[in-house]
Amino acid sequence: MNKTIIASLLMGLLMVPVTTVTAAESTLSGAMSQTGLAATANSLDQFSHWLPQVMQRFNSLPEVQAQAARRQQALLSVEAADKAVYNPELGLGYQNASEDTYSLDISQTIDWGDKRGVATRIAQLESEILLSSITLERNQMLAERLQALTNQSQARKALEFQRQQFNLAKGQLDIARQRTEVGDLSSVELQLMQLDVASNAADYALAEQVSIAADGQVLALFGEFDLPFADFVNALTVQAAHLDISPELPALKSAYQQVLVAKVTAEQAKADGSADPSISLSAEREGDENKFGVGVSIPLQIRNNYSEAIAVASQGVAIAEQTYLAQERVLLQQQKQFSLSLPRLTQRYQDWSELVLTSGTQAARSLSQQWQAGDINTSDYLQSQRQMSGSYLAGLALESALYERWLSWMGTSGQLEGYLNSQLSTQGANAAAPERAH
């Protein structure tokens, strides 16, 4: 390259606006600053600035309000079951004869088989089953909505990155035209730069479509799409992978209580088949004579002793136990999958962050300067740009995978809401500590 061409190129670069020249230096670094591990915020502030508002909006949703009504219905069913099984019976009689006869009878069947107690226990267990199901449903609904918010956040990151890439490509195309005019760049290389702009425009359009779809998903789940949200990838934990799978876990509690219901149902079948006696008192006046009587009646279980019903209920216990064991096995498999996948994804994400954040920004700045100075050809420069763009989008994909795995497990196991509430409680306690110190 002779001195005349060099001088002309430098003059052309000096005429380019400063924002265009520095775009290559800031695009990748600006995009990387949006990732979770690149954030400099304190981990204690992962949730406090957005989660309370999101939870308030979540609790006001009609489907969540319906769960509150179902909870109240379950409590009322227990009260209804804890009532007497038999009401007393009152009888009045009159007989017209030579001497008129008047009679008054009152009888009461005794709950000898404790039908009331069994019905109350069943209602309590069914109420607990319903409450456990509501808790699990609530966790799954919350996980679904947080997943929608994370998808929206990731889509907006990708959209902003593609916008920056598109603007950068247009700025570099302007520089390429100036270099072509001074003879420092061939027309073929200029066409390559034009194709790169077109490719970035297509990627930008596709990212816009994904972002619109993500906004629509949030709108469908929350009734609005512009909700506060901040990345919390730093707060994702694998501690849940070491959780003991017990009947008290929300994902299993309902199935375990079904076993208890089946056992009590077997007791209920025996209670229903028990012979409940009835005691009656009668008073009768025939003419001038008063008569009093006491009676006891006992059902005779001759035609039906309810043994088949008791056998059916006993089989229900075996079915409920096997159903519980099946659900426990599925949950254990999901837990193992979570414990295997999340640490590996986290390690790959950290590796990506260290490599891209430490060297990617410097490489982008250096390549842009070298291409503008003519030290590298256009094909190598464009290939390097595509590689760095792919590296950033790969990081976004890893981040999305981390969120998806974590939210899926926490929602499926029923631990999500408890974890979030504990995080908010911890942050509240830490925030109150400095105030007490003053």
Side-chain angles (χ1 to χ4, degrees):
M1 182 185 298
N2 57 41
K3 296 181 179 180
T4 303
I5 295 178
I6 294 176
S8 301
L9 177 59
L10 292 175
M11 288 298 294
L13 291 176
L14 290 174
M15 295 173 62
V16 178
V18 176
T19 55
T20 302
V21 177
T22 59
E25 303 177 2
S26 61
T27 299
L28 189 61
S29 61
M32 293 302 175
S33 65
Q34 301 176 25
T35 61
L37 288 183
T40 58
N42 192 321
S43 60
L44 292 177
D45 297 328
Q46 295 286 321
F47 302 102
S48 59
H49 298 303
W50 63 272
L51 185 59
Q53 299 179 57
V54 170
M55 289 301 299
Q56 182 179 7
R57 184 69 185 91
F58 174 75
N59 289 325
S60 65
L61 294 173
E63 51 268 41
V64 178
Q65 293 293 319
Q67 288 181 337
R70 290 169 58 198
R71 185 187 300 272
Q72 183 62 29
Q73 184 184 41
L75 297 177
L76 291 174
S77 66
V78 177
E79 296 181 8
D82 192 25
K83 299 294 182 182
V85 177
Y86 301 110
N87 286 314
E89 297 181 5
L90 178 65
L92 297 175
Y94 168 72
Q95 184 176 0
N96 186 8
S98 57
E99 292 184 354
D100 294 341
T101 303
Y102 303 89
S103 62
L104 174 65
D105 300 298
I106 185 169
S107 63
Q108 173 67 62
T109 301
I110 300 175
D111 185 11
W112 197 264
D114 195 22
K115 293 182 175 64
R116 174 183 175 182
V118 173
T120 301
R121 289 196 295 274
I122 290 179
Q124 289 172 342
L125 289 171
E126 289 179 344
S127 174
E128 292 177 6
I129 289 173
L130 181 58
L131 296 179
S132 300
S133 299
I134 290 174
T135 299
L136 185 58
E137 289 175 10
R138 182 179 174 88
N139 275 271
Q140 292 172 344
M141 291 168 60
L142 184 58
E144 181 185 14
R145 280 153 180 80
L146 288 185
Q147 183 65 63
L149 289 176
T150 58
N151 291 343
Q152 182 187 52
S153 176
Q154 299 300 92
R156 288 179 175 178
K157 290 179 189 177
L159 178 62
E160 176 60 20
F161 177 75
Q162 296 296 355
R163 184 190 68 79
Q164 293 176 0
Q165 290 293 91
F166 178 58
N167 292 337
L168 171 62
K170 290 195 298 182
Q172 299 295 70
L173 179 60
D174 292 337
I175 295 176
R177 291 192 178 109
Q178 295 178 18
R179 291 181 60 187
T180 303
E181 291 177 359
V182 299
D184 185 51
L185 204 68
S186 67
S187 59
V188 174
E189 290 178 299
L190 178 61
Q191 290 177 357
L192 289 176
M193 296 298 292
Q194 291 173 337
L195 288 174
D196 182 62
V197 172
S199 177
N200 278 282
D203 292 338
Y204 188 19
L206 292 175
E208 188 76 74
Q209 294 179 43
V210 174
S211 181
I212 291 173
D215 288 343
Q217 185 184 23
V218 174
L219 178 63
L221 292 174
F222 281 99
E224 55 184 302
F225 71 92
D226 193 13
L227 290 168
F229 180 78
D231 285 319
F232 59 97
V233 69
N234 285 336
L236 303 186
T237 176
V238 295
Q239 293 178 355
H242 306 291
L243 180 73
D244 292 333
I245 301 299
S246 69
E248 292 301 315
L249 193 66
L252 287 177
K253 191 173 183 179
S254 178
Y256 180 73
Q257 288 167 332
Q258 290 283 3
V259 177
L260 300 181
V261 167
K263 292 180 178 180
V264 178
T265 301
E267 296 179 9
Q268 185 182 38
K270 296 177 181 178
D272 290 340
S274 64
D276 292 336
S278 297
I279 298 177
S280 61
L281 299 175
S282 62
E284 184 177 320
R285 182 178 180 81
E286 184 177 355
D288 297 330
E289 185 179 0
N290 295 326
K291 300 178 180 180
F292 298 94
V294 177
V296 177
S297 62
I298 301 177
L300 298 178
Q301 296 180 345
I302 297 176
R303 302 183 62 186
N304 184 6
N305 60 4
Y306 301 96
S307 58
E308 291 79 6
I310 295 174
V312 170
S314 299
Q315 284 297 111
V317 176
I319 294 172
E321 288 176 344
Q322 294 302 316
T323 302
Y324 170 79
L325 292 175
Q327 292 189 15
E328 184 183 44
R329 185 181 68 252
V330 171
L331 194 64
L332 282 170
Q333 292 173 348
Q334 292 174 336
Q335 183 192 40
K336 290 179 180 178
Q337 185 178 11
F338 173 78
S339 62
L340 287 173
S341 61
L342 194 69
R344 294 165 63 182
L345 289 173
T346 302
Q347 184 61 51
R348 298 290 76 76
Y349 185 65
Q350 291 173 346
D351 293 342
W352 168 86
S353 177
E354 292 172 1
L355 291 172
V356 174
L357 292 182
T358 55
S359 61
T361 303
Q362 297 176 357
R365 183 184 301 111
S366 175
L367 286 170
S368 177
Q369 294 173 348
Q370 291 178 31
W371 176 79
Q372 293 178 23
D375 294 337
I376 60 173
N377 61 49
T378 302
S379 297
D380 291 340
Y381 169 71
L382 292 177
Q383 183 179 2
S384 299
Q385 284 291 99
R386 284 191 291 270
Q387 288 175 346
M388 286 184 291
S389 176
S391 297
Y392 175 73
L393 295 177
L396 279 186
L398 277 172
E399 192 172 296
S400 298
L402 282 169
Y403 279 124
E404 182 178 357
R405 293 280 183 177
W406 189 82
L407 287 171
S408 176
W409 165 250
M410 295 296 282
T412 300
S413 61
Q415 303 174 79
L416 179 59
E417 187 172 13
Y419 172 81
L420 296 177
N421 289 335
S422 67
Q423 290 297 307
L424 290 177
S425 300
T426 301
Q427 292 170 13
N430 290 335
E435 297 179 2
R436 290 195 298 268
H438 291 293

